[in-house]
Amino acid sequence: MTDPVSRPTNFIRHIIDKDLTDGVHDHVATRFPPEPNGYLHIGHAKSICLNFGIAEDYEGTCNLRFDDTNPEKEDIDFVNSIKQDVQWLGFQWQGKELYSSDYFDQLHGYAVELIEKGLAFVDFSSQDEIREMRGTLTAPGVNSPYRDTAVTENLMHFEKMKNGEYAEGECCLRAKIEMTSAFMCMRDPVIYRIKFAHHHQTLDKWCIYPMYDFTHCISDAIEGITHSLCTLEFQDNRRLYDWVIENISIECIPRQYEFSRLNLEYTVLSKRRLIQLVDDNHVSGWDDPRMPTIAGIRRRGYSPASIREFCQRIGVTKMDNMVEMSMLEACIRDELNANAKRRMAVLEPVKLVIENFSNDEWLDAPNHPVNEEMGTRKVPFTKEIFIEADDFREQANKKYKRLVLGKEVRLRNAYVIKAERVEKDENGNVVCIYCSYDADTLGKDPADGRKVKGVIHWVSASHALNAEVRLYNTLFTVPNPAAEEDFAGTINPQSLVVVNAKVEPSLLEFEPLQGIQFERQGYFCRDVDTTDDKLIFNRTVELRDSFAKFGS
RNA sequence: AGCUCUGUGGUGUAACGGGUAACACACGUGACUUUGACUCACGUAUUUCAGGUUCAAAUCCUGACGGAGCUGCCA
């Protein structure tokens, strides 16, 4: 065992440390067990980082196991996307990916064992009858009339279930536990049901499928999982998990520990709501950059390392939580601030003419403000340029540090200019700003000691490339949309704002998803749909801004 | 109402029963700055409440109050 110091500790690691020092285990084996019925999201990332992170730090193993016991809801496309997302996050599971369905034969055998022990029975009650007999949270349940069927008869019925001799819903296999238990899941839970469904792994071999509670614990035991980590809503199920393990002939005793699931402000993470967002076309798809899915976050421009860092920062407890979006944003900003090349892009252009400038030149501009190893690029400087409309005011108070009529400002990576006059359209909007420039200010302050406070970005009008820039904001207008009666009603109409921008020519050299900083704006990346003919940039996250937000 | 779990700055977490409750994010103030970025400095908590045990309590005990989960042939 290595010293698990690379990640912050948590209560689960304390348990593992104790198990290791007490000799309960001499190794650690975890697993990430998604059901292949949807796309992974940031909440899954928390579980992935927890399970794989523990395996890494304790030099143990972590399996990827698809919990595929409900063929009606599952699909091979989901298993493929899940595998891809786990690997993209930077993790590799132990050996080949596993499936609960790999154990269907063994599971069936253990079910037979329970029947033989008089601990399971085939129930022919209807679903409604079973529900009524289950009782409520405060009222105990009552025994099914089939509860005392003879073992031989149960064996026969279960065999017929397996052979397809009963219709779906006609009967099911139940564990015989305790109908008066305070834990609802212990009131003779169904452990096998009939489904004449095609399974993506076992095809048409089975028409009976084991339930989660019966499957998961046995799968863990078969794989030798030492610590089975899941979310809080399975706390009650732990009693059933332990009951099954204790009542079948299996050596390994895995233990289940529950942690709280992630809640992120201004988004939703429940599968049901995510599906609704896609189905109702509130977003363009599962990989829409506004989605909290791994695919969406990836397309938004987040790196695997930034998500791993996020999962590390939020920690793991059993407390209910609501993590601020700023926590996630800080993670990608930290990484991109260090690694992303700087570029200039004008999102809402207004023309500016430098009247006393004539000969075009190509200026050297550093790719990073402090890391010189990142080199420089050439930027065309011409008589006509574009600047951000929001970076000019005819008049402003001293707090405004940008270009003001009659005042000076520094053009980033270039000269100091002074606004002399403006040209307006019939509506009074500024359509062109006429300036003069100080030729002796390239790479240095004015020789006479004048102080020029502001710096604005710009791009040559004749060399600029047109680009579609997608400005993403929070998908919802409220911190906890899931708490709303109609969460879709709180979707942010400004969650995507598309602008036609002017960008510097060197932006052509970037690969899709590669992080870039548009100076003074934020971090962006070329969208996966971008081409050299049609440049599309996604805003990953804005820069921190201690001044008032831009108008965009 | 029954059972289970859970209450530490604005948010997320940390703290062998022992030092002025630590860290990150956020926020505020100031410095620096050819990004209103970055960086740096400083600031923000009677650990839900009330008792109790102890030389010593966020930590242990009791009670109260708050929050979450559980009544699929879903996972």
Side-chain angles (χ1 to χ4, degrees), chain A residues 242-513:
Chain A
D242 291 339
W243 183 91
V244 172
I245 292 298
E246 283 164 21
N247 286 286
I248 62 172
S249 306
I250 202 161
E251 346 63 68
C252 178
I253 310 291
R255 290 295 179 204
Q256 172 182 305
Y257 299 97
E258 312 87 16
F259 60 93
S260 54
R261 58 192 315 155
L262 168 69
N263 293 299
L264 228 203
E265 281 190 345
Y266 295 101
T267 191
V268 292
L269 293 177
S270 75
K271 193 159 294 176
R272 187 203 112 216
R273 295 189 181 85
L274 259 14
I275 287 171
Q276 191 180 330
L277 290 175
V278 174
D279 287 354
D280 295 352
N281 295 310
H282 290 118
V283 295
S284 65
W286 289 95
D287 66 343
D288 185 299
R290 291 167 292 183
M291 289 286 274
T293 50
I294 300 300
I297 292 171
R298 172 170 56 224
R299 186 170 175 182
R300 175 80 168 249
Y302 277 79
S303 66
S306 69
I307 295 172
R308 278 185 253 121
E309 174 65 18
F310 172 71
C311 291
Q312 197 161 125
R313 292 186 188 184
I314 60 176
V316 177
T317 67
K318 304 182 80 155
M319 295 186 270
D320 292 319
N321 60 77
M322 181 62 75
V323 177
E324 292 178 345
M325 192 60 90
S326 62
M327 192 80 85
L328 215 208
E329 295 175 337
C331 293
I332 190 61
R333 280 201 196 101
D334 281 357
E335 181 180 324
L336 263 17
N337 175 51
N339 305 325
K341 286 182 178 175
R342 271 56 173 175
R343 288 295 183 270
M344 293 193 287
V346 177
L347 270 27
E348 289 179 41
V350 60
K351 184 167 284 187
L352 185 153
V353 176
I354 303 165
E355 297 179 290
N356 61 339
F357 181 82
S358 51
N359 299 318
D360 293 0
E361 47 185 317
W362 286 76
L363 306 175
D364 287 308
N367 287 324
H368 193 279
V370 299
N371 185 356
E372 291 182 19
E373 290 181 7
M374 289 176 72
T376 63
R377 85 280 187 182
K378 292 286 187 183
V379 180
F381 186 69
T382 53
K383 186 182 186 76
E384 294 192 0
I385 63 175
F386 289 113
I387 67 166
E388 214 67 64
D390 206 46
D391 282 342
F392 173 76
R393 296 281 160 80
E394 289 186 74
Q395 58 218 24
N397 60 32
K398 47 255 143 261
K399 295 254 302 182
Y400 187 78
K401 290 169 49 178
R402 309 171 195 179
L403 185 60
V404 177
L405 196 55
K407 305 257 178 58
E408 289 183 305
V409 78
R410 158 79 63 182
L411 288 179
R412 177 67 164 163
N413 300 131
Y415 303 90
V416 168
I417 58 169
K418 180 179 182 182
E420 306 287 0
R421 60 196 171 84
V422 298
E423 180 184 321
K424 298 180 183 178
D425 61 18
E426 61 277 10
N427 297 318
N429 299 314
V430 174
V431 294
C432 187
I433 305 158
Y434 292 91
C435 297
S436 59
Y437 87 116
D438 183 339
D440 196 32
T441 53
L442 184 62
K444 57 186 176 184
D445 288 330
D448 62 7
R450 284 172 4 252
K451 279 297 173 192
V452 179
K453 263 296 194 54
V455 179
I456 63 174
H457 58 277
W458 53 277
V459 65
S460 163
S462 51
H463 295 76
L465 268 23
N466 290 308
E468 173 178 322
V469 176
R470 299 172 178 173
L471 304 173
Y472 294 106
N473 297 298
T474 59
L475 221 202
F476 295 91
T477 57
V478 296
N480 187 11
E484 300 291 318
E485 61 304 322
D486 171 30
F487 84 100
T490 65
I491 288 176
N492 182 5
Q494 301 291 309
S495 62
L496 169 58
V497 176
V498 178
V499 298
N500 294 311
K502 298 287 187 179
V503 305
E504 63 174 276
S506 65
L507 247 6
L508 237 26
E509 72 195 34
F510 292 86
E511 294 297 315
L513 305 189

Side-chain angles (χ1 to χ4, degrees), chain A residues 58-268:
Chain A
Y58 289 89
E59 292 184 345
T61 56
C62 182
N63 293 343
L64 170 62
R65 181 172 75 231
F66 289 98
D67 220 336
D68 55 348
T69 57
N70 189 351
E72 291 171 338
K73 295 188 173 178
E74 299 154 8
D75 192 282
I76 191 68
D77 291 339
F78 291 126
V79 344
N80 292 329
S81 82
I82 289 170
K83 287 163 65 178
Q84 180 192 341
D85 286 348
V86 171
Q87 288 178 318
W88 179 76
L89 279 171
F91 297 106
Q92 186 56 55
W93 49 89
Q94 182 72 199
K96 194 176 130 32
E97 81 270 18
L98 304 171
Y99 299 85
S100 294
S101 56
D102 293 341
Y103 317 127
F104 278 177
D105 284 313
Q106 293 165 81
L107 259 355
H108 175 264
Y110 287 121
V112 169
E113 179 185 351
L114 285 183
I115 296 173
E116 289 172 337
K117 287 178 174 173
L119 293 175
F121 63 98
V122 175
D123 197 326
F124 286 85
S125 305
S126 70
Q127 280 191 56
D128 286 344
E129 290 168 335
I130 287 178
R131 189 187 325 113
E132 280 172 30
M133 289 188 284
R134 186 156 36 227
T136 68
L137 294 175
T138 51
V142 298
N143 288 172
S144 162
Y146 298 91
R147 200 172 198 265
D148 295 318
T149 305
V151 169
T152 51
E153 211 171 318
N154 282 140
L155 250 13
M156 183 261 290
H157 288 313
F158 188 49
E159 179 67 15
K160 290 175 79 172
M161 274 175 68
K162 192 185 87 160
N163 293 336
E165 295 177 43
Y166 292 124
E168 282 189 21
E170 187 173 352
C171 59
C172 61
L173 184 68
R174 293 226 264 167
K176 190 190 293 184
I177 308 181
E178 175 59 76
M179 290 307 292
T180 59
S181 173
F183 297 101
M184 298 302 289
C185 66
M186 295 297 270
R187 320 248 262 223
D188 290 5
V190 172
I191 57 177
Y192 259 95
R193 77 287 216 189
I194 298 169
K195 278 180 191 290
F196 289 96
H198 182 75
H199 189 287
H200 53 96
Q201 299 299 320
T202 61
L203 311 181
D204 298 307
K205 177 179 179 185
W206 298 87
C207 63
I208 55 171
Y209 291 93
M211 298 288 285
Y212 163 84
D213 285 301
F214 183 67
T215 306
H216 204 93
C217 51
I218 294 176
S219 301
D220 283 342
I222 290 172
E223 293 176 14
I225 300 303
T226 56
H227 302 266
S228 182
L229 314 178
C230 62
T231 43
L232 246 31
E233 65 271 25
F234 292 100
Q235 286 180 116
D236 287 2
N237 300 251
R238 187 176 66 245
R239 277 72 187 185
L240 179 50
Y241 183 105
D242 291 339
W243 183 91
V244 172
I245 292 298
E246 283 164 21
N247 286 286
I248 62 172
S249 306
I250 202 161
E251 346 63 68
C252 178
I253 310 291
R255 290 295 179 204
Q256 172 182 305
Y257 299 97
E258 312 87 16
F259 60 93
S260 54
R261 58 192 315 155
L262 168 69
N263 293 299
L264 228 203
E265 281 190 345
Y266 295 101
T267 191
V268 292

